[in-house]
Amino acid sequence: MNHQDVYCKIINKLLNQLMKKEYNYDFVFYLNPAQHLMNKKLNSDFHLIEEIVSINLKSSINMYLYDRLCKDLKECLNKFLPFVECSDFRKINKVKLVIRQRVVSGTLFGTI
């Protein structure tokens, strides 16, 4: 197991611990290791760093919660990644969510 695999496991463990506390243990978070490693290979500081996080949901969510999750994940990753990656850290500009459950529009609750 190389150091990149260890970093990804540590990042996922910290991400789940911090975000599950905030969201009452309703979600399971998983940082995409392939995207994370591709972001590390970028040589220029001018690129937008976009991470992909998968979320397993027990029920559907609305767009407000989706946007809030994106914002909170970005803040959370930018808080603890400097401690894990040290000098290799680059600030994350955007988090893309891959949801394993249906996203419901904010105005269409319960309609068929």
Side-chain angles (χ1 to χ4, degrees), residues 77-99:
L77 286 169
N78 281 328
K79 281 182 189 175
F80 74 79
L81 278 179
F83 300 108
V84 175
E85 296 177 346
C86 299
S87 64
D88 293 337
F89 171 71
R90 291 187 180 178
K91 185 176 178 182
I92 297 170
N93 302 98
K94 185 178 178 184
V95 172
K96 180 180 177 185
L97 294 179
V98 175
I99 297 180

PDB file of all heavy atoms in Angstrom, residues 77-99:
ATOM      1  N   LEU A  77     -13.395  19.822   3.726  1.00  0.00           N
ATOM      2  CA  LEU A  77     -12.178  19.322   3.082  1.00  0.00           C
ATOM      3  C   LEU A  77     -11.050  20.348   3.155  1.00  0.00           C
ATOM      4  O   LEU A  77      -9.892  19.988   3.394  1.00  0.00           O
ATOM      5  CB  LEU A  77     -12.469  18.959   1.629  1.00  0.00           C
ATOM      6  CG  LEU A  77     -13.265  17.676   1.411  1.00  0.00           C
ATOM      7  CD1 LEU A  77     -13.715  17.569  -0.032  1.00  0.00           C
ATOM      8  CD2 LEU A  77     -12.453  16.467   1.813  1.00  0.00           C
ATOM      9  N   ASN A  78     -11.372  21.622   2.971  1.00  0.00           N
ATOM     10  CA  ASN A  78     -10.332  22.659   3.037  1.00  0.00           C
ATOM     11  C   ASN A  78      -9.804  22.863   4.451  1.00  0.00           C
ATOM     12  O   ASN A  78      -8.707  23.377   4.632  1.00  0.00           O
ATOM     13  CB  ASN A  78     -10.856  23.977   2.477  1.00  0.00           C
ATOM     14  CG  ASN A  78     -10.857  23.997   0.973  1.00  0.00           C
ATOM     15  OD1 ASN A  78     -10.016  23.380   0.331  1.00  0.00           O
ATOM     16  ND2 ASN A  78     -11.814  24.691   0.393  1.00  0.00           N
ATOM     17  N   LYS A  79     -10.560  22.439   5.473  1.00  0.00           N
ATOM     18  CA  LYS A  79     -10.089  22.564   6.856  1.00  0.00           C
ATOM     19  C   LYS A  79      -9.068  21.497   7.221  1.00  0.00           C
ATOM     20  O   LYS A  79      -8.048  21.790   7.827  1.00  0.00           O
ATOM     21  CB  LYS A  79     -11.263  22.481   7.837  1.00  0.00           C
ATOM     22  CG  LYS A  79     -12.046  23.736   7.958  1.00  0.00           C
ATOM     23  CD  LYS A  79     -13.154  23.559   8.982  1.00  0.00           C
ATOM     24  CE  LYS A  79     -14.090  24.742   8.965  1.00  0.00           C
ATOM     25  NZ  LYS A  79     -15.228  24.528   9.873  1.00  0.00           N
ATOM     26  N   PHE A  80      -9.356  20.229   6.880  1.00  0.00           N
ATOM     27  CA  PHE A  80      -8.470  19.176   7.359  1.00  0.00           C
ATOM     28  C   PHE A  80      -7.457  18.669   6.341  1.00  0.00           C
ATOM     29  O   PHE A  80      -6.470  18.042   6.713  1.00  0.00           O
ATOM     30  CB  PHE A  80      -9.256  18.004   7.973  1.00  0.00           C
ATOM     31  CG  PHE A  80      -9.963  17.117   6.996  1.00  0.00           C
ATOM     32  CD1 PHE A  80      -9.290  16.155   6.288  1.00  0.00           C
ATOM     33  CD2 PHE A  80     -11.327  17.237   6.818  1.00  0.00           C
ATOM     34  CE1 PHE A  80      -9.945  15.338   5.400  1.00  0.00           C
ATOM     35  CE2 PHE A  80     -11.999  16.410   5.939  1.00  0.00           C
ATOM     36  CZ  PHE A  80     -11.302  15.467   5.231  1.00  0.00           C
ATOM     37  N   LEU A  81      -7.631  18.924   5.054  1.00  0.00           N
ATOM     38  CA  LEU A  81      -6.660  18.459   4.062  1.00  0.00           C
ATOM     39  C   LEU A  81      -5.258  19.041   4.249  1.00  0.00           C
ATOM     40  O   LEU A  81      -4.280  18.336   4.017  1.00  0.00           O
ATOM     41  CB  LEU A  81      -7.158  18.721   2.646  1.00  0.00           C
ATOM     42  CG  LEU A  81      -8.136  17.702   2.087  1.00  0.00           C
ATOM     43  CD1 LEU A  81      -8.566  18.087   0.683  1.00  0.00           C
ATOM     44  CD2 LEU A  81      -7.563  16.315   2.091  1.00  0.00           C
ATOM     45  N   PRO A  82      -5.098  20.294   4.677  1.00  0.00           N
ATOM     46  CA  PRO A  82      -3.728  20.783   4.877  1.00  0.00           C
ATOM     47  C   PRO A  82      -2.954  19.976   5.923  1.00  0.00           C
ATOM     48  O   PRO A  82      -1.737  19.841   5.835  1.00  0.00           O
ATOM     49  CB  PRO A  82      -3.917  22.226   5.348  1.00  0.00           C
ATOM     50  CG  PRO A  82      -5.262  22.613   4.911  1.00  0.00           C
ATOM     51  CD  PRO A  82      -6.072  21.366   4.851  1.00  0.00           C
ATOM     52  N   PHE A  83      -3.654  19.412   6.901  1.00  0.00           N
ATOM     53  CA  PHE A  83      -2.985  18.626   7.937  1.00  0.00           C
ATOM     54  C   PHE A  83      -2.613  17.231   7.447  1.00  0.00           C
ATOM     55  O   PHE A  83      -1.643  16.646   7.911  1.00  0.00           O
ATOM     56  CB  PHE A  83      -3.872  18.517   9.178  1.00  0.00           C
ATOM     57  CG  PHE A  83      -4.195  19.853   9.768  1.00  0.00           C
ATOM     58  CD1 PHE A  83      -5.468  20.375   9.662  1.00  0.00           C
ATOM     59  CD2 PHE A  83      -3.222  20.595  10.408  1.00  0.00           C
ATOM     60  CE1 PHE A  83      -5.773  21.611  10.200  1.00  0.00           C
ATOM     61  CE2 PHE A  83      -3.518  21.841  10.939  1.00  0.00           C
ATOM     62  CZ  PHE A  83      -4.790  22.346  10.845  1.00  0.00           C
ATOM     63  N   VAL A  84      -3.371  16.700   6.500  1.00  0.00           N
ATOM     64  CA  VAL A  84      -3.098  15.362   5.970  1.00  0.00           C
ATOM     65  C   VAL A  84      -2.033  15.426   4.879  1.00  0.00           C
ATOM     66  O   VAL A  84      -1.109  14.616   4.852  1.00  0.00           O
ATOM     67  CB  VAL A  84      -4.399  14.721   5.419  1.00  0.00           C
ATOM     68  CG1 VAL A  84      -4.110  13.385   4.764  1.00  0.00           C
ATOM     69  CG2 VAL A  84      -5.421  14.558   6.526  1.00  0.00           C
ATOM     70  N   GLU A  85      -2.143  16.408   3.994  1.00  0.00           N
ATOM     71  CA  GLU A  85      -1.280  16.448   2.820  1.00  0.00           C
ATOM     72  C   GLU A  85      -0.081  17.387   2.967  1.00  0.00           C
ATOM     73  O   GLU A  85       0.806  17.364   2.121  1.00  0.00           O
ATOM     74  CB  GLU A  85      -2.108  16.855   1.602  1.00  0.00           C
ATOM     75  CG  GLU A  85      -3.160  15.837   1.294  1.00  0.00           C
ATOM     76  CD  GLU A  85      -4.031  16.244   0.138  1.00  0.00           C
ATOM     77  OE1 GLU A  85      -3.997  17.416  -0.263  1.00  0.00           O
ATOM     78  OE2 GLU A  85      -4.748  15.373  -0.367  1.00  0.00           O
ATOM     79  N   CYS A  86      -0.061  18.209   3.963  1.00  0.00           N
ATOM     80  CA  CYS A  86       1.033  19.154   4.240  1.00  0.00           C
ATOM     81  C   CYS A  86       1.326  20.047   3.035  1.00  0.00           C
ATOM     82  O   CYS A  86       0.486  20.796   2.606  1.00  0.00           O
ATOM     83  CB  CYS A  86       2.264  18.413   4.710  1.00  0.00           C
ATOM     84  SG  CYS A  86       1.963  17.496   6.222  1.00  0.00           S
ATOM     85  N   SER A  87       2.508  19.945   2.466  1.00  0.00           N
ATOM     86  CA  SER A  87       2.914  20.863   1.397  1.00  0.00           C
ATOM     87  C   SER A  87       2.235  20.562   0.061  1.00  0.00           C
ATOM     88  O   SER A  87       2.257  21.395  -0.837  1.00  0.00           O
ATOM     89  CB  SER A  87       4.424  20.817   1.214  1.00  0.00           C
ATOM     90  OG  SER A  87       4.820  19.534   0.792  1.00  0.00           O
ATOM     91  N   ASP A  88       1.621  19.385  -0.099  1.00  0.00           N
ATOM     92  CA  ASP A  88       0.939  19.031  -1.349  1.00  0.00           C
ATOM     93  C   ASP A  88      -0.470  19.590  -1.428  1.00  0.00           C
ATOM     94  O   ASP A  88      -1.157  19.397  -2.428  1.00  0.00           O
ATOM     95  CB  ASP A  88       0.861  17.509  -1.503  1.00  0.00           C
ATOM     96  CG  ASP A  88       2.225  16.891  -1.711  1.00  0.00           C
ATOM     97  OD1 ASP A  88       3.125  17.618  -2.155  1.00  0.00           O
ATOM     98  OD2 ASP A  88       2.370  15.693  -1.426  1.00  0.00           O
ATOM     99  N   PHE A  89      -0.931  20.270  -0.398  1.00  0.00           N
ATOM    100  CA  PHE A  89      -2.317  20.740  -0.346  1.00  0.00           C
ATOM    101  C   PHE A  89      -2.578  21.852  -1.355  1.00  0.00           C
ATOM    102  O   PHE A  89      -1.778  22.763  -1.532  1.00  0.00           O
ATOM    103  CB  PHE A  89      -2.652  21.254   1.059  1.00  0.00           C
ATOM    104  CG  PHE A  89      -3.977  21.942   1.137  1.00  0.00           C
ATOM    105  CD1 PHE A  89      -5.144  21.219   1.040  1.00  0.00           C
ATOM    106  CD2 PHE A  89      -4.054  23.313   1.276  1.00  0.00           C
ATOM    107  CE1 PHE A  89      -6.379  21.850   1.102  1.00  0.00           C
ATOM    108  CE2 PHE A  89      -5.273  23.954   1.347  1.00  0.00           C
ATOM    109  CZ  PHE A  89      -6.437  23.215   1.259  1.00  0.00           C
ATOM    110  N   ARG A  90      -3.716  21.744  -2.030  1.00  0.00           N
ATOM    111  CA  ARG A  90      -4.243  22.803  -2.899  1.00  0.00           C
ATOM    112  C   ARG A  90      -5.690  23.034  -2.504  1.00  0.00           C
ATOM    113  O   ARG A  90      -6.441  22.081  -2.318  1.00  0.00           O
ATOM    114  CB  ARG A  90      -4.167  22.405  -4.364  1.00  0.00           C
ATOM    115  CG  ARG A  90      -2.767  22.332  -4.857  1.00  0.00           C
ATOM    116  CD  ARG A  90      -2.766  22.119  -6.320  1.00  0.00           C
ATOM    117  NE  ARG A  90      -1.385  22.053  -6.765  1.00  0.00           N
ATOM    118  CZ  ARG A  90      -1.049  21.832  -7.997  1.00  0.00           C
ATOM    119  NH1 ARG A  90      -1.971  21.646  -8.905  1.00  0.00           N
ATOM    120  NH2 ARG A  90       0.211  21.793  -8.337  1.00  0.00           N
ATOM    121  N   LYS A  91      -6.058  24.283  -2.391  1.00  0.00           N
ATOM    122  CA  LYS A  91      -7.411  24.623  -1.968  1.00  0.00           C
ATOM    123  C   LYS A  91      -8.435  24.116  -2.984  1.00  0.00           C
ATOM    124  O   LYS A  91      -8.268  24.278  -4.187  1.00  0.00           O
ATOM    125  CB  LYS A  91      -7.540  26.131  -1.805  1.00  0.00           C
ATOM    126  CG  LYS A  91      -8.858  26.541  -1.250  1.00  0.00           C
ATOM    127  CD  LYS A  91      -8.910  28.021  -1.027  1.00  0.00           C
ATOM    128  CE  LYS A  91     -10.290  28.388  -0.502  1.00  0.00           C
ATOM    129  NZ  LYS A  91     -10.448  29.797  -0.304  1.00  0.00           N
ATOM    130  N   ILE A  92      -9.494  23.528  -2.475  1.00  0.00           N
ATOM    131  CA  ILE A  92     -10.569  22.994  -3.307  1.00  0.00           C
ATOM    132  C   ILE A  92     -11.540  24.118  -3.615  1.00  0.00           C
ATOM    133  O   ILE A  92     -12.003  24.817  -2.717  1.00  0.00           O
ATOM    134  CB  ILE A  92     -11.279  21.838  -2.587  1.00  0.00           C
ATOM    135  CG1 ILE A  92     -10.288  20.700  -2.377  1.00  0.00           C
ATOM    136  CG2 ILE A  92     -12.498  21.376  -3.363  1.00  0.00           C
ATOM    137  CD1 ILE A  92     -10.789  19.624  -1.476  1.00  0.00           C
ATOM    138  N   ASN A  93     -11.846  24.295  -4.898  1.00  0.00           N
ATOM    139  CA  ASN A  93     -12.753  25.346  -5.324  1.00  0.00           C
ATOM    140  C   ASN A  93     -14.193  24.879  -5.435  1.00  0.00           C
ATOM    141  O   ASN A  93     -15.121  25.679  -5.297  1.00  0.00           O
ATOM    142  CB  ASN A  93     -12.324  25.905  -6.678  1.00  0.00           C
ATOM    143  CG  ASN A  93     -10.916  26.433  -6.632  1.00  0.00           C
ATOM    144  OD1 ASN A  93      -9.989  25.741  -7.031  1.00  0.00           O
ATOM    145  ND2 ASN A  93     -10.748  27.634  -6.131  1.00  0.00           N
ATOM    146  N   LYS A  94     -14.396  23.592  -5.719  1.00  0.00           N
ATOM    147  CA  LYS A  94     -15.743  23.089  -5.960  1.00  0.00           C
ATOM    148  C   LYS A  94     -15.817  21.617  -5.576  1.00  0.00           C
ATOM    149  O   LYS A  94     -14.852  20.875  -5.754  1.00  0.00           O
ATOM    150  CB  LYS A  94     -16.092  23.266  -7.439  1.00  0.00           C
ATOM    151  CG  LYS A  94     -17.487  22.891  -7.806  1.00  0.00           C
ATOM    152  CD  LYS A  94     -17.740  23.158  -9.277  1.00  0.00           C
ATOM    153  CE  LYS A  94     -19.142  22.726  -9.644  1.00  0.00           C
ATOM    154  NZ  LYS A  94     -19.406  22.879 -11.064  1.00  0.00           N
ATOM    155  N   VAL A  95     -16.961  21.225  -5.052  1.00  0.00           N
ATOM    156  CA  VAL A  95     -17.220  19.824  -4.755  1.00  0.00           C
ATOM    157  C   VAL A  95     -18.415  19.384  -5.578  1.00  0.00           C
ATOM    158  O   VAL A  95     -19.461  20.019  -5.565  1.00  0.00           O
ATOM    159  CB  VAL A  95     -17.505  19.605  -3.248  1.00  0.00           C
ATOM    160  CG1 VAL A  95     -17.949  18.187  -2.988  1.00  0.00           C
ATOM    161  CG2 VAL A  95     -16.280  19.941  -2.422  1.00  0.00           C
ATOM    162  N   LYS A  96     -18.233  18.315  -6.316  1.00  0.00           N
ATOM    163  CA  LYS A  96     -19.320  17.737  -7.118  1.00  0.00           C
ATOM    164  C   LYS A  96     -19.829  16.512  -6.368  1.00  0.00           C
ATOM    165  O   LYS A  96     -19.041  15.657  -5.971  1.00  0.00           O
ATOM    166  CB  LYS A  96     -18.805  17.343  -8.493  1.00  0.00           C
ATOM    167  CG  LYS A  96     -19.844  16.739  -9.376  1.00  0.00           C
ATOM    168  CD  LYS A  96     -19.264  16.382 -10.724  1.00  0.00           C
ATOM    169  CE  LYS A  96     -20.308  15.700 -11.579  1.00  0.00           C
ATOM    170  NZ  LYS A  96     -19.734  15.247 -12.840  1.00  0.00           N
ATOM    171  N   LEU A  97     -21.139  16.447  -6.174  1.00  0.00           N
ATOM    172  CA  LEU A  97     -21.735  15.333  -5.451  1.00  0.00           C
ATOM    173  C   LEU A  97     -22.258  14.281  -6.414  1.00  0.00           C
ATOM    174  O   LEU A  97     -22.893  14.606  -7.416  1.00  0.00           O
ATOM    175  CB  LEU A  97     -22.896  15.812  -4.587  1.00  0.00           C
ATOM    176  CG  LEU A  97     -22.558  16.728  -3.426  1.00  0.00           C
ATOM    177  CD1 LEU A  97     -23.829  17.108  -2.700  1.00  0.00           C
ATOM    178  CD2 LEU A  97     -21.585  16.087  -2.486  1.00  0.00           C
ATOM    179  N   VAL A  98     -21.991  13.038  -6.098  1.00  0.00           N
ATOM    180  CA  VAL A  98     -22.578  11.908  -6.799  1.00  0.00           C
ATOM    181  C   VAL A  98     -23.497  11.245  -5.780  1.00  0.00           C
ATOM    182  O   VAL A  98     -23.042  10.693  -4.790  1.00  0.00           O
ATOM    183  CB  VAL A  98     -21.511  10.917  -7.294  1.00  0.00           C
ATOM    184  CG1 VAL A  98     -22.155   9.700  -7.921  1.00  0.00           C
ATOM    185  CG2 VAL A  98     -20.568  11.593  -8.257  1.00  0.00           C
ATOM    186  N   ILE A  99     -24.804  11.353  -6.015  1.00  0.00           N
ATOM    187  CA  ILE A  99     -25.786  10.895  -5.036  1.00  0.00           C
ATOM    188  C   ILE A  99     -26.353   9.560  -5.470  1.00  0.00           C
ATOM    189  O   ILE A  99     -26.728   9.375  -6.626  1.00  0.00           O
ATOM    190  CB  ILE A  99     -26.904  11.941  -4.872  1.00  0.00           C
ATOM    191  CG1 ILE A  99     -26.293  13.221  -4.332  1.00  0.00           C
ATOM    192  CG2 ILE A  99     -28.002  11.426  -3.959  1.00  0.00           C
ATOM    193  CD1 ILE A  99     -27.273  14.324  -4.114  1.00  0.00           C
TER     194      ILE A  99
END
